[in-house]
Amino acid sequence: MRIVLLTQDDPFYLAENIDYLIKKLPPYAKVVATVVFDVSPFGKRESFTDKLKKTYQIFGPGFFVRYGTKFVMSKLNKNKNVKHVLETHGVPLIEIEGNINKAENREKISAYQPDLLVSIAGNQIFKRPLLDLAPKGCLNLHTALLPKYRGLMPSFWVLKNNEKYTGVSVFFVDEGIDSGPILVQRKVEIGNRSQEELIKYTKQLGMDAIIECVEKIESGNYTLIENDESQMTYFSFPTREDVQAFLAAGKRFY
């Protein structure tokens, strides 16, 4: 099974998890290429300076300093670099310009003859011609229990809303946002985890769920879980007021 990954150059959590995924995939599955998008933590493309300003304004100085330091340290540690991890495994990068759905970008991906596309923090909306490139479809990892908590930063919202449980969902991508049928879903008790602890835990759990999906797709023996539109909730990026409510509820970022 030939897999093309669609991911982003996240400096905090993704490199070690992609390394884990590639190492743990079954022998019949191989990541043959990867598209690495620019990081877009706020759900849209912004300049690096705008990202810094927005992080400081929304999350405050403590958060800004901690993650600013982690960002700098990640740049000094090759093992925290997604592209370096891919290079270590001999996985070529597919260089694209602009939107992934453009015909010339689809042609570059199609040249690797993917059987399956796998999106991990893929931050563009995929259109039908792209989804149809791979005969086995396109999977996406979402770190929440769909259909609840569609959208951005579910780890923040489940904590702010005092949820007892969260989880991961791996689903077949359609042209909506986190709306396709679910192949594997795993539930997690949140307990007293901070957001950082929850992200770390669910990211690795998500890699295991992707591997389970690959095994199910290879066998052809699976039952899809409905991603019920009538039960959905959707969240965008938090505001400063949301962060204040998060902290007032005794929740922790780290």
Side-chain angles (χ1 to χ4, degrees):
M1 185 188 300
R2 297 173 61 83
I3 297 171
V4 169
L5 285 182
L6 311 173
T7 189
Q8 63 174 285
D9 199 10
D10 172 276
F12 303 119
Y13 306 107
L14 281 187
E16 58 193 330
N17 283 292
I18 289 174
D19 180 59
Y20 176 89
L21 174 67
I22 293 173
K23 288 176 178 175
K24 296 291 185 179
L25 279 170
Y28 53 77
K30 181 181 180 182
V31 177
V32 296
T34 305
V35 174
V36 179
F37 301 108
D38 292 335
V39 178
S40 58
F42 304 104
K44 58 183 178 181
R45 293 184 178 184
E46 296 176 309
S47 72
F48 184 72
T49 302
D50 286 342
K51 291 172 188 174
L52 290 178
K53 288 179 181 177
K54 207 165 186 178
T55 300
Y56 186 90
Q57 290 167 353
I58 293 173
F59 295 102
F63 185 101
F64 181 86
V65 170
R66 180 181 176 89
Y67 278 93
T69 302
K70 286 172 72 73
F71 176 81
V72 172
M73 295 302 293
S74 75
K75 294 299 181 183
L76 300 174
N77 182 354
K78 287 185 176 181
N79 293 326
K80 292 288 186 181
N81 184 286
V82 170
K83 292 181 179 179
H84 174 74
V85 167
L86 294 167
E87 182 182 351
T88 299
H89 288 286
V91 178
L93 292 177
I94 302 174
E95 301 287 350
I96 67 169
E97 293 185 10
N99 193 289
I100 193 173
N101 297 288
K102 288 164 58 176
E104 55 266 38
N105 291 332
R106 296 200 314 270
E107 288 173 9
K108 290 179 181 179
I109 297 169
S110 180
Y112 287 90
Q113 299 179 303
D115 299 304
L116 179 70
L117 303 176
V118 176
S119 170
I120 303 171
N123 52 14
Q124 295 189 22
I125 293 177
F126 305 150
K127 300 298 185 183
R128 178 51 55 190
L130 174 69
L131 299 176
D132 287 343
L133 287 182
K136 296 183 185 298
C138 177
L139 295 176
N140 185 66
L141 168 64
H142 188 69
T143 49
L145 295 174
L146 295 173
K148 304 292 187 184
Y149 293 97
R150 294 182 186 179
L152 299 177
M153 212 169 170
S155 60
F156 172 87
W157 294 109
V158 295
L159 287 169
K160 178 183 178 293
N161 294 340
N162 292 305
E163 296 286 0
K164 187 174 181 181
Y165 296 97
T166 186
V168 300
S169 306
V170 182
F171 62 94
F172 282 109
V173 179
D174 59 16
E175 291 186 88
I177 298 176
D178 302 330
S179 54
I182 300 160
L183 184 52
V184 170
Q185 193 166 65
R186 296 189 179 185
K187 191 174 183 180
V188 173
E189 187 169 7
I190 295 172
N192 65 349
R193 289 185 175 98
S194 67
Q195 188 203 19
E196 184 176 64
E197 291 167 338
L198 192 59
I199 291 172
K200 286 180 177 179
Y201 185 79
T202 54
K203 277 284 189 288
Q204 184 162 326
L205 189 67
M207 299 305 111
D208 289 328
I210 290 171
I211 292 165
E212 184 180 344
C213 286
V214 168
E215 293 169 345
K216 287 177 178 287
I217 291 170
E218 178 69 14
S219 72
N221 182 24
Y222 58 84
T223 302
L224 295 174
I225 304 165
E226 183 183 8
N227 194 343
D228 187 355
E229 195 77 19
S230 69
Q231 300 297 314
M232 69 86 79
T233 57
Y234 178 85
F235 294 86
S236 59
F237 205 81
T239 64
R240 179 60 184 161
E241 291 71 27
D242 293 322
V243 169
Q244 289 171 336
F246 175 97
L247 295 172
K251 305 303 180 182
R252 297 176 296 121
F253 285 114
Y254 38 81

